[in-house]
Amino acid sequence: MFDSADLRRLLENVVGSDNVTDTDSSDDADWTGRFVGEPTLLVRPGSTVEVAEVVAVARRSGVSLVPRGGNTGLVGGSISRGRSILVSTSRLRNTGTIDPLTRQVTVGAGVTLHDIQEQAQSFGLRYPVDFGARGTATIGGTVATNAGGVNVVRYGMTRRQIVGIEAVLGSGETVSHLGGLVKDNTGYDLAGLLCGSEGTLGIVTAVRVQLVPLMPHVVTALVSCDDVATAVDVVASVCSRLDTVDAAELVTADGLALVREQIGLEIAMPNRRIHLLIECSSASEQVDVLSDILDEHQGIDVAVAVTPSQRERLWRIREEQTPSINRLGVPFKFDVTVPLPSLAPFVERIPLAVEKVRPGARTFVFGHAADGNMHVNVVGGDGDEVALTEQVLGEVVACGGSISAEHGIGTAKQPWLHMVRSTSEIDAMRSIKAALDPDGIMNPGVLLP
Ligand code: FAD
Ligand code: 2HG
Ligand code: ZN
């Protein structure tokens, strides 16, 4: 706890005493329980002006700031460290009205993914960034991490949805560019830069996003087979023939068994090693087109779901992977991308590679097959944690992959950034940080070594 009553008083003067609270380490952890915060103050500004004043207080007081959205991040970036205070965006929840001409809307950083998705849907539109933490993850957090999710194959990551941003930089300056012009070549793309900056440059307070049409016909195919190479071929052939593929998600038999065991999900599934969910959405019916493409493949079982309840049951298998793994114990998470030609050997090999350095561990692999983005989760076992990380990330880098696909670097992977970014690149990033956050108060310890 800070001994400085002055700091609390200064913050209370900005946001009101109801909006400054003490955290305590017993309940201030990340979603997995791996990263536990140091006791500190949590401050909840209610406007961009208040955020700027909080930043000013921090600069004067020599404390650092840890931005916090929904605290669903998986790399320890929203957890307090050292002499820092948490800045929650929970009160930045203003939502504009959707502009029907541009199909854009400006939302406060604290608005959840679920809320923006609901708002879009009521206009026959869609905000296509989507994943299991939608009820809690915020637009600010998803921008800060450049979140991906299940629809990246069709719509891209968060950065592609952003047409404007407002933020308070570590320097104390507020930048606001929310006009939403799609064509706007007037210098550095600050929205693109802040997207993926993990709270190290400033605090995002509002975002203007582009929405896409909500397609009325949705079909989800369950494709089951015995090896990852077949699954990769199926995804490649569907994606090269259809431009309506929203998602292509891979789950293993072990992951399926875990979900069944953990939540008692009763669902008839073929007894195969690998399962794929391929979802397409379009303006007109396309069950037959998808089925015809899948029929061309040998050695697969196919089941097609069209009703919302059938589809929802299939999606539970995928979305319950993360919560089910957490129920087994605190996992080591590796969110990696490998080039598609290496995807099958990587998925087949990685549990064996883990076993070498962490005997007795259970390894679950699942993820976004079309993007080459796999989530390797390791629970239990014995062995050195650093050796485990170096083993998994070493396999990834050896095949030309990335040590973070969509969750970011955070504190969890910061010591290993050099494996995928050159000294020149890291120096360039440091220069950007020094310019926008000259006192280094924004989320120190995250991303940059
Ligand atoms: P937080 O966890 O609060 O913060 C994350 C990072 O962003 C921290 O570094 C924090 O300091 C910074 N930050 C937060 N808000 C701001 C702001 N306003 N300005 C500046 N910096 C800020 N991620 C994916 O990409 N794809 C997935 O499919 C996916 N699925 C998930 C499923 C589950 C069940 C869970 C628990 C998580 C999943 N995640 C996924 C990870 C997580 O939800 C995302 O990283 C999300 O973007 C974090 O949003 P948040 O609001 O919870 O941010
Ligand atoms: C997902 O795709 C998320 O479900 C979480 O990115 C991945 O739990 C994980 O490792
Ligand atoms: Zn993911």
Side-chain angles (χ1 to χ4, degrees):
M1 175 47 59
F2 291 112
D3 50 12
S4 166
D6 279 353
L7 178 63
R8 176 187 277 271
R9 190 180 41 75
L10 289 169
L11 292 169
E12 286 179 351
N13 286 346
V14 174
V15 299
S17 53
D18 288 353
N19 293 308
V20 181
T21 47
D22 295 301
T23 65
D24 88 62
S25 55
S26 59
D27 67 3
D28 197 52
D30 77 319
W31 197 87
T32 65
R34 176 160 300 284
F35 304 98
V36 179
E38 292 178 30
T40 186
L41 297 173
L42 180 140
V43 55
R44 288 182 290 272
S47 66
T48 302
V49 169
E50 287 187 6
V51 172
E53 289 175 19
V54 168
V55 172
V57 168
R59 293 190 74 197
R60 282 203 304 275
S61 313
V63 293
S64 53
L65 300 175
V66 177
R68 174 172 289 181
N71 198 24
T72 65
L74 298 173
V75 288
S78 53
I79 297 300
S80 64
R81 292 165 304 279
R83 198 173 147 71
S84 63
I85 54 177
L86 292 163
V87 184
S88 164
T89 56
S90 59
R91 291 176 64 220
L92 302 177
R93 291 180 59 89
N94 283 343
T95 305
T97 46
I98 294 175
D99 175 352
L101 282 184
T102 59
R103 301 172 306 285
Q104 295 176 359
V105 62
T106 299
V107 290
V111 171
T112 62
L113 269 189
H114 170 267
D115 285 354
I116 186 176
Q117 288 168 353
E118 288 249 295
Q119 194 195 359
Q121 203 167 339
S122 66
F123 275 71
L125 296 169
R126 181 179 187 198
Y127 183 62
V129 176
D130 191 30
F131 48 83
R134 64 181 74 78
T136 316
T138 62
I139 192 77
T142 54
V143 168
T145 56
N146 186 27
V150 294
N151 298 322
V152 170
V153 56
R154 182 164 184 180
Y155 297 104
M157 299 189 50
T158 297
R159 189 177 284 119
R160 211 202 285 172
Q161 327 305 324
I162 304 306
V163 287
I165 206 158
E166 180 178 86
V168 179
L169 303 175
S171 62
E173 294 293 327
T174 298
V175 290
S176 186
H177 200 74
L178 292 166
L181 296 175
V182 173
K183 303 191 83 171
D184 185 13
N185 273 349
T186 51
Y188 301 142
D189 177 8
L190 294 179
L193 177 63
L194 287 162
C195 198
S197 63
E198 302 189 40
T200 62
L201 300 178
I203 300 173
V204 175
T205 54
V207 184
R208 189 160 181 87
V209 297
Q210 182 70 57
L211 305 172
V212 299
L214 180 67
M215 295 294 170
H217 295 277
V218 186
V219 51
T220 309
L222 170 70
V223 177
S224 304
C225 55
D226 284 327
D227 58 276
V228 186
T230 302
V232 171
D233 281 349
V234 169
V235 173
S237 92
V238 173
C239 289
S240 59
R241 309 264 288 278
L242 297 178
D243 59 5
T244 54
V245 182
D246 283 351
E249 297 292 306
L250 182 145
V251 173
T252 65
D254 286 350
L256 170 64
L258 176 70
V259 170
R260 280 188 157 138
E261 160 195 317
Q262 293 288 331
I263 63 164
L265 183 70
E266 286 184 18
I267 182 165
M269 295 278 286
N271 187 17
R272 310 290 294 258
R273 283 183 65 227
I274 302 294
H275 304 281
L276 273 178
L277 291 188
I278 300 184
E279 184 156 288
C280 300
S281 70
S282 52
S284 57
E285 183 62 72
Q286 55 168 1
V287 176
D288 292 346
V289 184
L290 178 61
S291 300
D292 286 350
I293 297 172
L294 295 173
D295 278 351
E296 293 171 14
H297 287 266
Q298 310 292 315
I300 61 172
D301 291 324
V302 179
V304 175
V306 279
T307 68
S309 72
Q310 287 170 336
R311 293 180 34 246
E312 201 177 301
R313 280 166 70 74
L314 285 180
W315 273 104
R316 279 201 80 190
I317 298 166
R318 170 63 181 85
E319 294 203 339
E320 289 290 340
Q321 294 291 306
T322 301
S324 296
I325 290 166
N326 246 41
R327 282 186 212 108
L328 288 180
V330 177
F332 289 98
K333 287 192 175 285
F334 302 98
D335 153 48
V336 302
T337 325
V338 294
L340 285 178
S342 303
L343 186 58
F346 176 81
V347 176
E348 302 285 9
R349 199 171 55 225
I350 203 69
L352 306 172
V354 169
E355 180 62 24
K356 281 190 196 146
V357 287
R358 198 145 175 109
R362 293 178 74 179
T363 301
F364 297 93
V365 186
F366 60 95
H368 316 286
D371 315 322
N373 174 193
M374 287 294 121
H375 298 299
V376 180
N377 279 242
V378 179
V379 194
D382 293 312
D384 182 53
E385 298 176 6
V386 171
L388 170 67
T389 303
E390 292 185 348
Q391 178 83 336
V392 175
L393 300 186
E395 292 275 343
V396 170
V397 172
C399 64
S402 172
I403 67 167
S404 170
E406 56 176 8
H407 297 167
I409 295 293
T411 53
K413 301 295 179 305
Q414 183 251 55
W416 292 278
L417 182 64
H418 65 89
M419 292 176 80
V420 281
R421 291 303 191 115
S422 66
T423 307
S424 312
E425 285 180 300
I426 293 174
D427 284 349
M429 291 192 220
R430 282 190 206 284
S431 303
I432 291 168
K433 179 164 172 74
L436 303 189
D437 176 28
D439 301 325
I441 59 166
M442 290 309 311
N443 231 356
V446 165
L447 177 57
L448 291 171

